[in-house]
Amino acid sequence: SIGPDLWCLEQDSDWRNGQLLLHEGTHGFMNNNMGSCGPPWYMEGMAELLSTYRVDADGNLHMNQILSSSEEAPYWGRIRLVTDAFRENRARPLVDVLRSSPHEIADSEDYAWCWALAYLLDRHPRYRDRFHAASENVRRLSFTDRFIESMRDDWEDLQEEWTVFIFDLDFDYDVEATTVDFTIADRYVQPEQVETFEVVTTRGWQNTGLRVKEGEAYEIAATGRYRIDDEPKPWISEPDGVTIRYYHGAPLGMLLAAVRADSTPTYEVTGLARPMPTGARGTITPGYDGTLYFKINDSAGDLGNNKGKIEVKIRRKPE
């Protein structure tokens, strides 16, 4: 786009034609009304964010939508590009996306990372106000430095949440339902006690408030019946999950555990992106001290139709 004018090459689907028009239109609007589009991650992130759209039955346009399936947005592919990169150990750290230079935004995967970051920041209850306020500095060369400074108190949490987000990214991803409580537990599971924790099936990782020790074995016993889908009829699961459908290589609805270290070096992947299937009965042996988390194995975009809870008992095996 140049000034009030923009040009678009015809795309492979009508939806992509509309998406590209809105993307370039966002650039034009920001340049003409805000004086700048900001640095590459923000410029392309905002254009990608606002150009994911739907048109309702009355013909009304709705921008900044999270899409329900690839069929809804033919040839868009942003989610698949991010998840493929994570699976192939090519995931981009948060700081690399923020520090992208103009010549590094060159292909569809580059745009996918910018969209993913903007989507997370726009919808996260802890970060969205600061993300929205960043527009006030869009004409400043120090835009990214100022944004990072605004996140200073939450910087380590944001980097870790970024990893959890891109590991689980999916259509209809519910950011609010998957926000992580990073409180470090200070109470260890004792060998003579059985601890009980209730897992809600409509949320992502849930902090138990319990610490576990490196090299110690912990027995997990879980009970409960809960709904994990409602189409074409209610799907009822127990903690071992339903083997008719798998997600991330484990039965849908299966109970998962994770141990989060108190601090994770930047070169390591957080334990929250390395879930351990436990099911109704299992044993975990952490490789480090940390806080214990649980959730069910389900897409982060499909938690809203779940219903029910799981009672989990945690017991440290005697030495």
Side-chain angles (χ1 to χ4, degrees), residues 66-298:
I66 181 61
L67 304 168
S68 298
S69 68
S70 57
E71 288 76 19
E72 188 177 10
Y75 300 100
W76 181 59
R78 302 300 191 241
I79 291 173
R80 179 183 56 79
L81 289 168
V82 170
T83 55
D84 282 355
F86 189 97
R87 188 179 64 253
E88 296 165 7
N89 296 316
R90 297 185 293 104
R92 298 187 189 177
L94 173 67
V95 70
D96 286 6
V97 181
L98 289 169
R99 296 298 188 187
S100 298
S101 61
H103 71 271
E104 291 176 316
I105 309 295
D107 59 27
S108 294
E109 186 172 312
D110 301 321
Y111 288 97
W113 290 111
C114 294
W115 166 79
L117 178 55
Y119 181 78
L120 174 64
L121 294 171
D122 182 59
R123 285 162 167 78
H124 198 291
R126 285 176 65 190
Y127 313 132
R128 61 187 167 210
D129 287 347
R130 283 169 283 180
F131 176 63
H132 295 164
S135 62
E136 299 172 4
N137 297 314
V138 74
R139 299 179 65 180
R140 297 178 182 268
L141 293 176
S142 59
F143 178 95
T144 298
D145 290 333
R146 287 171 177 264
F147 177 74
I148 292 174
E149 175 62 22
S150 76
M151 296 289 177
R152 179 176 55 183
D153 292 343
D154 297 307
W155 181 244
E156 290 187 3
D157 289 353
L158 175 56
Q159 291 185 91
E160 190 168 356
E161 197 135 26
W162 168 248
T163 302
V164 176
F165 170 70
I166 60 177
F167 170 72
D168 265 337
L169 185 59
D170 206 344
F171 288 97
D172 271 336
Y173 191 103
D174 189 338
V175 175
E176 294 213 22
T178 53
T179 56
V180 180
D181 174 2
F182 289 111
T183 304
I184 296 173
D186 58 7
R187 183 165 65 89
Y188 279 97
V189 178
Q190 301 299 324
E192 69 277 6
Q193 294 180 335
V194 175
E195 300 284 356
T196 301
F197 182 74
E198 192 173 73
V199 179
V200 179
T201 58
T202 54
R203 293 200 55 80
W205 286 118
Q206 295 157 59
N207 188 328
T208 65
L210 299 169
R211 287 183 68 76
V212 290
K213 287 193 173 193
E214 175 185 358
E216 298 286 350
Y218 296 85
E219 296 177 334
I220 309 299
T223 56
R225 287 173 60 85
Y226 42 94
R227 187 183 73 193
I228 53 173
D229 206 344
D230 53 10
E231 293 292 342
K233 61 181 182 179
W235 287 39
I236 304 301
S237 177
E238 295 183 356
D240 282 331
V242 291
T243 56
I244 195 171
R245 185 184 297 175
Y246 278 66
Y247 185 73
H248 280 324
L252 185 68
M254 188 179 206
L255 181 67
L256 304 176
V259 177
R260 176 183 178 263
D262 295 346
S263 63
T264 303
T266 55
Y267 56 84
E268 290 186 6
V269 175
T270 171
L272 299 179
R274 291 179 285 141
M276 298 175 283
T278 64
R281 289 194 175 274
T283 301
I284 62 170
T285 306
Y288 44 81
D289 286 19
T291 302
L292 180 62
Y293 287 75
F294 288 108
K295 71 171 183 174
I296 66 164
N297 186 41
D298 198 1

